Amino acid sequence: MRLTILLSCLLASASAFTKPQLSGVRNIQSPAVNNRNRIVVSSSNENEAALGEKMNGYTVKQRLREEVESPFRKVRLAFFGISAFSALTALYFSALVAIKANIGGYADVPPLDEALVQVAINSGGALGFGLLAAREIKVGQGNLERISKGGLLARLVVDPAAEEASKRTLKDYRRISRVIVAAGGAEYIRSLSMSLCSDQLADENTLPAALAGVDVMIVPVLLDENFNVVETKSAWRNATPGENDRNFDSTRADEVICFPSVLSMWQEYIDSDVKTAQGQGFDVLSKGITITVKKNGRILRRATGLPPFGDMVGMMEVADGSKFGMPGDSEKYGGP
């Protein structure tokens, strides 16, 4: 009997370690491996779509960027909010105590003077922490608006004046050129055109070449009487020179000129700047407004009037920090 059991165990062990049969086995690739690239591309597109989805007027990507720029803002907001709520709760109970002290007849109530002090302290805490929380919300909203407008600025489409060039976005000019957006009425655009494309002094106008030398690109934006962005190229090309404008040639500054394209996007972007200038009492159509964009895509300054080209040629490298803060430009500016 014992011998039979022993033989049975040995046979079972031998069958358990038997070499697997390889005949008829084929190298079948998993469908997941075949579709790996497709899955990666699909996942990337889905992530981009998710980041671009708007919530309360701002995309997820913009909100994430705001959190990166101000990593402790939400912590401060939570602290101030909870503190304000705690102060309000304490104010409620201290107000009840003050009422009891004023009525009288309660043995467990402190004197009215002490109760009023507690009410004042809790009121001040609730008001102070509430204002700090509201300030954090306002700052965060301002950051989101700035980031959103910066993203819209990067997506603005321009049509270079040079005939062989194709349409580009302002994002394509980052690290390459400084962009000056000059918006105004018909007379403002004519004056801007004359300042670049005609000889207004005794010698020859060399401003276009000088601006190209400091990587400046100008985008003239024509506004109609209702402050709507309209087609600018024809107004630039057909500008009428005045008595002091000699040798006018609308193509002379083509190397530094781009015309706005997809005007609806330009209207959306420039509308707030026009309203701000109007609110400050400036005549936007006749005086015009200028927005100077640094090489890193940030706004250097907003101003009114024609761009001060002479000053820009002499100080632009220092004004926008490119000479000191643009990595990779050592060959141009020297240094390590």
Side-chain angles (χ1 to χ4, degrees):
M1 184 66 181
R2 293 179 179 176
L3 181 60
T4 305
I5 295 174
L6 182 60
L7 291 173
S8 301
C9 291
L10 291 173
L11 290 173
S13 299
S15 63
F17 290 96
T18 302
K19 185 178 180 180
Q21 298 294 326
L22 299 178
S23 61
V25 177
R26 294 177 298 174
N27 184 16
I28 302 176
Q29 193 173 14
S30 170
V33 176
N34 287 332
N35 296 328
R36 182 177 300 168
N37 293 335
R38 187 186 310 168
I39 292 173
V40 171
V41 173
S42 175
S43 176
S44 176
N45 292 337
E46 289 176 359
N47 290 338
E48 287 294 331
L51 291 175
E53 183 178 354
K54 283 194 173 184
M55 181 175 60
N56 296 329
Y58 302 102
T59 64
V60 176
K61 187 175 182 179
Q62 291 167 351
R63 293 183 181 277
L64 290 175
R65 180 178 173 184
E66 194 277 330
E67 290 184 8
V68 170
E69 291 184 359
S70 304
F72 298 107
R73 188 183 60 79
K74 286 192 174 181
V75 176
R76 294 193 299 269
L77 177 60
F79 174 76
F80 294 146
I82 293 173
S83 299
F85 179 77
S86 300
L88 285 172
T89 303
L91 176 62
Y92 170 76
F93 289 106
S94 61
L96 291 179
V97 171
I99 292 174
K100 289 181 179 181
N102 186 45
I103 294 175
Y106 296 92
D108 58 344
V109 174
L112 180 60
D113 293 342
E114 295 182 8
L116 291 177
V117 169
Q118 293 298 322
V119 170
I121 292 174
N122 293 327
S123 298
L127 179 62
F129 285 119
L131 290 176
L132 289 173
R135 178 184 177 277
E136 289 297 329
I137 294 175
K138 184 178 180 180
V139 169
Q141 190 70 18
N143 289 339
L144 284 173
E145 292 177 358
R146 174 181 56 79
I147 292 171
S148 176
K149 191 165 185 179
L152 179 58
L153 174 65
R155 297 193 303 273
L156 292 177
V157 182
V158 293
D159 185 11
E163 295 182 358
E164 66 277 5
S166 58
K167 291 184 179 181
R168 308 174 68 179
T169 63
L170 292 189
K171 183 179 180 180
D172 298 328
Y173 287 96
R174 286 184 180 177
R175 288 194 54 84
I176 300 175
S177 298
R178 305 167 181 88
V179 179
I180 300 176
V181 178
E187 182 59 27
Y188 175 82
I189 297 299
R190 191 198 74 83
S191 299
L192 180 63
S193 175
M194 293 301 120
S195 67
L196 292 172
C197 301
S198 66
D199 299 329
Q200 296 180 325
L201 301 177
D203 53 354
E204 183 180 356
N205 189 348
T206 60
L207 269 178
L211 293 173
V214 292
D215 304 326
V216 171
M217 183 65 66
I218 302 165
V219 183
V221 180
L222 177 61
L223 304 176
D224 64 10
E225 295 180 354
N226 297 320
F227 303 98
N228 295 319
V229 178
V230 295
E231 201 272 331
T232 307
K233 188 174 183 178
S234 60
W236 183 273
R237 296 300 190 198
N238 300 322
T240 304
E243 296 180 357
N244 299 324
D245 303 316
R246 299 175 292 104
N247 305 322
F248 172 71
D249 181 4
S250 65
T251 64
R252 180 185 292 190
D254 279 2
E255 61 177 333
V256 294
I257 295 295
C258 288
F259 298 109
S261 185
V262 190
L263 302 184
S264 59
M265 296 179 63
W266 280 92
Q267 181 69 48
E268 181 182 356
Y269 177 80
I270 210 168
D271 187 58
S272 60
D273 290 290
V274 170
K275 290 180 179 178
T276 300
Q278 287 179 314
Q280 296 175 353
F282 294 106
D283 187 348
V284 176
L285 293 181
S286 61
K287 296 293 185 181
I289 57 175
T290 60
I291 303 170
T292 305
V293 185
K294 299 192 290 185
K295 281 187 176 182
N296 61 7
R298 294 183 177 273
I299 302 298
L300 174 62
R301 72 169 189 169
R302 291 177 169 88
T304 59
L306 291 172
F309 294 126
D311 296 338
M312 289 179 178
V313 171
M315 60 178 291
M316 186 56 74
E317 299 290 354
V318 177
D320 73 351
S322 295
K323 186 172 182 178
F324 309 105
M326 293 295 289
D329 286 346
S330 298
E331 182 179 351
K332 181 173 182 179
Y333 300 116

